[in-house]
Structures are given as C-alpha cells and as structure tokens.
Amino acid sequence: GILRSAIIDKVLAGEKEMSAVANREGVWVTSANYEMHPEPDPVEISGHKCLIVDLKPRRKSPHLFLGKAWVDASDFTVVRLTGTPSQSPSFFAGETTVLREYDKVDGFSMATHAEAHSHSFLLGDTVLKIDYTGYKIDRNPTAAPETHVSTTHP
C-alpha cells in the first residue's frame, strides 16, 4: 500500500544518498567508521578465501552495520557484509537485517546485490532486494549505478 511505497521510496533515497560522492567515505568499511575484530579462521565465499571481520560502527547511521564483513584474503576487498543497521532506516521498518554482496568491477569492490529483511506490526514481513548493475568506473562520478528493486510480502 501507500505506507509500504513511502518506506521503499525512503530506502531508495538512502541508497542514492549513500552513493553520493560527498558521502562515500562516511560509509566505507574503514577503521574511521568501524571498530574491527578479525575472526581466527578463513572461510570460502563465492570462490574467494575470506577473512571474517566483526564490525561495530563508531556512530549511528542507517548505512553502517553492526555485523560481519567477509574480506578477500588476497587483496582485502569486501566480498559480503551482513548485519543490522546501527540506526533504523525507518520507524515503521522494525528489526531489519541486511545482506550486501560485492564483486570486483575494474579492480574495485562494488555492491552487486543487497537484501533487507524486516518485520513490523504494521507491515508484517517485508523483503527488499536491490541489484546494482551498469557500473562505469569514473574518477569523477556524477551518477549512482542503475538499481533494480523488488519487494515481497508474504
């Protein structure tokens, strides 16, 4: 309904905001944004030998996650992030868990897929999926990548 559409519009606006050049450094997986604690044993994810790093955001933001990062052991690029936003993206969203998957595009680790699962008394169970395509690496970017969104609600 209308409320669900308004929330999805807010999430998409947040994705666009996060992709803006001026905001990127504030959401990167760096020690400036997170306390990081590596787990001892590497694992295999999507053909990558990965180190798992526990993440604790240094500030509240709907774009920073309390969770885990899977980092490629060969070049330290992010392969996957999972967790919960350190600040809820919406009052109506309820508890939200997020998965982001990354792949290398012209040598850069870029988001390729994101899923957010939430449950609230108003909206019930909601799944938001975003697929990122159409990346063009530009040293002076002016636009966010194309996104394709689908939602399900059992």
Side-chain angles (χ1 to χ4, degrees):
I2 294 170
L3 184 58
R4 186 179 303 276
S5 294
I7 292 170
I8 290 170
D9 289 346
K10 184 175 180 175
V11 169
L12 292 177
E15 287 289 315
K16 187 174 183 180
E17 175 188 331
M18 185 174 67
S19 297
V21 174
N23 299 330
R24 288 185 187 155
E25 285 186 34
V27 299
W28 287 345
V29 180
T30 65
S31 58
N33 296 321
Y34 288 97
E35 290 178 29
M36 295 186 246
H37 304 281
E39 294 184 5
D41 299 318
V43 296
E44 182 101 6
I45 297 286
S46 303
H48 300 270
K49 182 178 179 183
C50 292
L51 306 171
I52 300 173
V53 179
D54 294 322
L55 301 174
K56 182 179 176 190
R58 294 190 183 276
R59 67 185 181 287
K60 292 195 178 294
S61 166
H63 307 301
L64 297 177
F65 303 110
L66 176 61
K68 296 181 183 293
W70 284 256
V71 178
D72 190 308
S74 68
D75 62 8
F76 302 106
T77 56
V78 175
V79 174
R80 178 182 292 167
L81 287 174
T82 62
T84 58
S86 64
Q87 177 182 338
S88 178
S90 167
F91 169 77
F92 298 105
E95 175 78 15
T96 303
T97 58
V98 176
L99 162 74
R100 284 185 181 270
E101 294 178 331
Y102 296 78
D103 205 355
K104 289 188 191 106
V105 177
D106 291 338
F108 294 92
S109 184
M110 307 296 285
T112 56
H113 180 76
E115 282 188 33
H117 296 255
S118 66
H119 178 81
S120 72
F121 69 95
L122 260 176
L123 301 174
D125 292 324
T126 302
V127 177
L128 175 68
K129 296 180 181 183
I130 302 174
D131 291 312
Y132 303 88
T133 62
Y135 281 111
K136 294 180 180 102
I137 303 301
D138 182 349
R139 301 292 179 205
N140 298 308
T142 57
E146 298 173 29
T147 59
H148 304 281
V149 177
S150 65
T151 62
T152 57
H153 155 79

mmCIF file of all heavy atoms in Angstrom, residues 1 10 16 18 26 32 37 41 47 70 75-76 78 81 86 98-99 112 128 131 136 139 141 154:
data_model
loop_
_atom_site.group_PDB
_atom_site.id
_atom_site.type_symbol
_atom_site.label_atom_id
_atom_site.label_comp_id
_atom_site.label_asym_id
_atom_site.label_seq_id
_atom_site.Cartn_x
_atom_site.Cartn_y
_atom_site.Cartn_z
ATOM 1 N N GLY A 1 0.798 -1.177 0.000
ATOM 2 C CA GLY A 1 0.000 0.000 0.000
ATOM 3 C C GLY A 1 0.853 1.259 0.000
ATOM 4 O O GLY A 1 2.050 1.259 -0.283
ATOM 5 N N LYS A 10 11.858 5.866 0.684
ATOM 6 C CA LYS A 10 12.851 6.382 1.640
ATOM 7 C C LYS A 10 14.131 5.546 1.593
ATOM 8 O O LYS A 10 15.233 6.082 1.622
ATOM 9 C CB LYS A 10 12.275 6.392 3.055
ATOM 10 C CG LYS A 10 13.212 7.005 4.068
ATOM 11 C CD LYS A 10 12.585 7.124 5.434
ATOM 12 C CE LYS A 10 13.593 7.748 6.381
ATOM 13 N NZ LYS A 10 13.071 8.002 7.678
ATOM 14 N N LYS A 16 20.641 6.234 -2.722
ATOM 15 C CA LYS A 16 21.170 7.300 -3.579
ATOM 16 C C LYS A 16 22.059 8.240 -2.772
ATOM 17 O O LYS A 16 23.125 8.629 -3.216
ATOM 18 C CB LYS A 16 20.006 8.061 -4.220
ATOM 19 C CG LYS A 16 20.441 9.075 -5.241
ATOM 20 C CD LYS A 16 19.240 9.690 -5.935
ATOM 21 C CE LYS A 16 19.693 10.657 -7.003
ATOM 22 N NZ LYS A 16 18.556 11.257 -7.696
ATOM 23 N N MET A 18 23.722 7.511 -0.042
ATOM 24 C CA MET A 18 24.941 6.793 0.316
ATOM 25 C C MET A 18 25.917 6.756 -0.857
ATOM 26 O O MET A 18 27.125 6.747 -0.667
ATOM 27 C CB MET A 18 24.587 5.369 0.756
ATOM 28 C CG MET A 18 25.767 4.577 1.250
ATOM 29 S SD MET A 18 25.296 2.972 1.921
ATOM 30 C CE MET A 18 24.719 2.119 0.471
ATOM 31 N N GLY A 26 32.116 8.229 4.462
ATOM 32 C CA GLY A 26 31.424 8.023 5.723
ATOM 33 C C GLY A 26 30.768 6.660 5.854
ATOM 34 O O GLY A 26 30.310 6.303 6.933
ATOM 35 N N ALA A 32 38.030 4.280 10.435
ATOM 36 C CA ALA A 32 37.410 5.551 10.802
ATOM 37 C C ALA A 32 35.923 5.371 11.097
ATOM 38 O O ALA A 32 35.358 6.096 11.913
ATOM 39 C CB ALA A 32 37.593 6.574 9.680
ATOM 40 N N HIS A 37 37.248 -6.456 14.421
ATOM 41 C CA HIS A 37 37.900 -7.558 15.122
ATOM 42 C C HIS A 37 37.866 -8.792 14.228
ATOM 43 O O HIS A 37 36.793 -9.371 14.023
ATOM 44 C CB HIS A 37 37.203 -7.839 16.458
ATOM 45 C CG HIS A 37 37.142 -6.620 17.337
ATOM 46 N ND1 HIS A 37 38.211 -6.195 18.080
ATOM 47 C CD2 HIS A 37 36.152 -5.729 17.555
ATOM 48 C CE1 HIS A 37 37.881 -5.093 18.716
ATOM 49 N NE2 HIS A 37 36.640 -4.779 18.418
ATOM 50 N N ASP A 41 39.684 -17.957 11.784
ATOM 51 C CA ASP A 41 39.780 -18.914 10.679
ATOM 52 C C ASP A 41 39.186 -18.372 9.385
ATOM 53 O O ASP A 41 38.036 -17.921 9.364
ATOM 54 C CB ASP A 41 39.068 -20.221 11.051
ATOM 55 C CG ASP A 41 39.687 -20.884 12.267
ATOM 56 O OD1 ASP A 41 40.937 -20.903 12.336
ATOM 57 O OD2 ASP A 41 38.937 -21.355 13.141
ATOM 58 N N GLY A 47 33.972 -18.472 -4.117
ATOM 59 C CA GLY A 47 35.270 -18.686 -4.754
ATOM 60 C C GLY A 47 36.398 -17.839 -4.210
ATOM 61 O O GLY A 47 37.490 -17.813 -4.763
ATOM 62 N N TRP A 70 33.014 -10.124 5.143
ATOM 63 C CA TRP A 70 33.871 -11.159 4.577
ATOM 64 C C TRP A 70 34.797 -10.430 3.623
ATOM 65 O O TRP A 70 34.345 -9.795 2.667
ATOM 66 C CB TRP A 70 33.048 -12.205 3.841
ATOM 67 C CG TRP A 70 32.349 -13.162 4.747
ATOM 68 C CD1 TRP A 70 32.725 -14.446 4.999
ATOM 69 C CD2 TRP A 70 31.160 -12.945 5.516
ATOM 70 N NE1 TRP A 70 31.844 -15.032 5.883
ATOM 71 C CE2 TRP A 70 30.877 -14.139 6.219
ATOM 72 C CE3 TRP A 70 30.309 -11.860 5.695
ATOM 73 C CZ2 TRP A 70 29.781 -14.264 7.064
ATOM 74 C CZ3 TRP A 70 29.220 -11.983 6.541
ATOM 75 C CH2 TRP A 70 28.965 -13.173 7.215
ATOM 76 N N ASP A 75 43.448 -9.654 -1.426
ATOM 77 C CA ASP A 75 43.588 -8.221 -1.703
ATOM 78 C C ASP A 75 42.791 -7.326 -0.741
ATOM 79 O O ASP A 75 42.757 -6.113 -0.907
ATOM 80 C CB ASP A 75 43.186 -7.910 -3.145
ATOM 81 C CG ASP A 75 41.738 -8.237 -3.448
ATOM 82 O OD1 ASP A 75 40.968 -8.570 -2.522
ATOM 83 O OD2 ASP A 75 41.359 -8.158 -4.632
ATOM 84 N N PHE A 76 42.135 -7.951 0.241
ATOM 85 C CA PHE A 76 41.409 -7.247 1.301
ATOM 86 C C PHE A 76 40.210 -6.423 0.810
ATOM 87 O O PHE A 76 39.803 -5.467 1.467
ATOM 88 C CB PHE A 76 42.360 -6.393 2.150
ATOM 89 C CG PHE A 76 43.449 -7.212 2.765
ATOM 90 C CD1 PHE A 76 44.739 -7.141 2.261
ATOM 91 C CD2 PHE A 76 43.180 -8.089 3.797
ATOM 92 C CE1 PHE A 76 45.752 -7.926 2.810
ATOM 93 C CE2 PHE A 76 44.185 -8.868 4.350
ATOM 94 C CZ PHE A 76 45.467 -8.797 3.851
ATOM 95 N N VAL A 78 36.144 -6.093 0.101
ATOM 96 C CA VAL A 78 34.932 -6.627 0.721
ATOM 97 C C VAL A 78 34.201 -7.530 -0.277
ATOM 98 O O VAL A 78 34.014 -7.157 -1.441
ATOM 99 C CB VAL A 78 34.006 -5.491 1.190
ATOM 100 C CG1 VAL A 78 32.693 -6.031 1.732
ATOM 101 C CG2 VAL A 78 34.703 -4.639 2.238
ATOM 102 N N LEU A 81 28.802 -8.272 3.272
ATOM 103 C CA LEU A 81 28.513 -7.659 4.570
ATOM 104 C C LEU A 81 27.155 -8.174 5.036
ATOM 105 O O LEU A 81 26.233 -8.292 4.228
ATOM 106 C CB LEU A 81 28.384 -6.136 4.462
ATOM 107 C CG LEU A 81 29.614 -5.297 4.256
ATOM 108 C CD1 LEU A 81 29.220 -3.837 4.035
ATOM 109 C CD2 LEU A 81 30.540 -5.390 5.450
ATOM 110 N N SER A 86 22.981 0.352 12.318
ATOM 111 C CA SER A 86 23.191 0.903 13.663
ATOM 112 C C SER A 86 22.121 1.934 14.011
ATOM 113 O O SER A 86 21.962 2.287 15.172
ATOM 114 C CB SER A 86 24.590 1.510 13.785
ATOM 115 O OG SER A 86 24.744 2.605 12.915
ATOM 116 N N VAL A 98 20.360 -6.955 7.086
ATOM 117 C CA VAL A 98 20.815 -6.575 5.754
ATOM 118 C C VAL A 98 21.924 -7.513 5.295
ATOM 119 O O VAL A 98 22.781 -7.909 6.085
ATOM 120 C CB VAL A 98 21.324 -5.109 5.758
ATOM 121 C CG1 VAL A 98 21.884 -4.717 4.410
ATOM 122 C CG2 VAL A 98 20.209 -4.161 6.177
ATOM 123 N N LEU A 99 21.902 -7.845 4.023
ATOM 124 C CA LEU A 99 22.972 -8.585 3.354
ATOM 125 C C LEU A 99 23.377 -7.761 2.148
ATOM 126 O O LEU A 99 22.519 -7.296 1.388
ATOM 127 C CB LEU A 99 22.470 -9.959 2.888
ATOM 128 C CG LEU A 99 23.325 -10.661 1.829
ATOM 129 C CD1 LEU A 99 24.596 -11.211 2.438
ATOM 130 C CD2 LEU A 99 22.530 -11.758 1.150
ATOM 131 N N THR A 112 26.898 -5.489 -5.591
ATOM 132 C CA THR A 112 26.167 -6.081 -6.714
ATOM 133 C C THR A 112 24.750 -6.487 -6.312
ATOM 134 O O THR A 112 23.873 -6.583 -7.166
ATOM 135 C CB THR A 112 26.899 -7.314 -7.275
ATOM 136 O OG1 THR A 112 27.112 -8.260 -6.216
ATOM 137 C CG2 THR A 112 28.230 -6.919 -7.898
ATOM 138 N N LEU A 128 13.209 -6.452 0.825
ATOM 139 C CA LEU A 128 13.576 -5.505 -0.227
ATOM 140 C C LEU A 128 14.865 -6.005 -0.853
ATOM 141 O O LEU A 128 15.843 -6.249 -0.149
ATOM 142 C CB LEU A 128 13.777 -4.105 0.374
ATOM 143 C CG LEU A 128 14.289 -3.038 -0.585
ATOM 144 C CD1 LEU A 128 13.233 -2.714 -1.628
ATOM 145 C CD2 LEU A 128 14.674 -1.785 0.186
ATOM 146 N N ASP A 131 19.438 -4.965 -6.899
ATOM 147 C CA ASP A 131 20.552 -5.440 -7.716
ATOM 148 C C ASP A 131 21.198 -4.228 -8.372
ATOM 149 O O ASP A 131 20.514 -3.404 -8.976
ATOM 150 C CB ASP A 131 20.075 -6.441 -8.773
ATOM 151 C CG ASP A 131 19.621 -7.741 -8.149
ATOM 152 O OD1 ASP A 131 20.350 -8.274 -7.297
ATOM 153 O OD2 ASP A 131 18.541 -8.211 -8.512
ATOM 154 N N LYS A 136 30.112 1.975 -14.268
ATOM 155 C CA LYS A 136 31.158 2.500 -15.145
ATOM 156 C C LYS A 136 32.112 3.238 -14.224
ATOM 157 O O LYS A 136 31.714 4.209 -13.577
ATOM 158 C CB LYS A 136 30.559 3.430 -16.190
ATOM 159 C CG LYS A 136 29.645 2.700 -17.163
ATOM 160 C CD LYS A 136 29.064 3.642 -18.194
ATOM 161 C CE LYS A 136 28.167 2.852 -19.107
ATOM 162 N NZ LYS A 136 26.766 3.013 -18.817
ATOM 163 N N ARG A 139 36.640 8.391 -12.482
ATOM 164 C CA ARG A 139 37.345 9.049 -11.377
ATOM 165 C C ARG A 139 36.592 10.267 -10.855
ATOM 166 O O ARG A 139 36.814 10.719 -9.744
ATOM 167 C CB ARG A 139 38.752 9.457 -11.803
ATOM 168 C CG ARG A 139 39.611 8.314 -12.266
ATOM 169 C CD ARG A 139 39.933 7.395 -11.126
ATOM 170 N NE ARG A 139 40.741 6.281 -11.625
ATOM 171 C CZ ARG A 139 40.802 5.110 -11.052
ATOM 172 N NH1 ARG A 139 40.137 4.876 -9.959
ATOM 173 N NH2 ARG A 139 41.536 4.158 -11.550
ATOM 174 N N PRO A 141 32.850 10.665 -10.645
ATOM 175 C CA PRO A 141 31.487 10.191 -10.886
ATOM 176 C C PRO A 141 30.428 11.278 -10.651
ATOM 177 O O PRO A 141 30.571 12.120 -9.785
ATOM 178 C CB PRO A 141 31.315 9.042 -9.893
ATOM 179 C CG PRO A 141 32.326 9.310 -8.831
ATOM 180 C CD PRO A 141 33.467 10.043 -9.491
ATOM 181 N N PRO A 154 4.947 -11.763 2.273
ATOM 182 C CA PRO A 154 4.142 -12.993 2.390
ATOM 183 C C PRO A 154 2.766 -12.769 2.951
ATOM 184 O O PRO A 154 2.432 -11.866 3.575
ATOM 185 C CB PRO A 154 4.953 -13.881 3.316
ATOM 186 C CG PRO A 154 6.268 -13.229 3.531
ATOM 187 C CD PRO A 154 6.159 -11.819 3.046
#
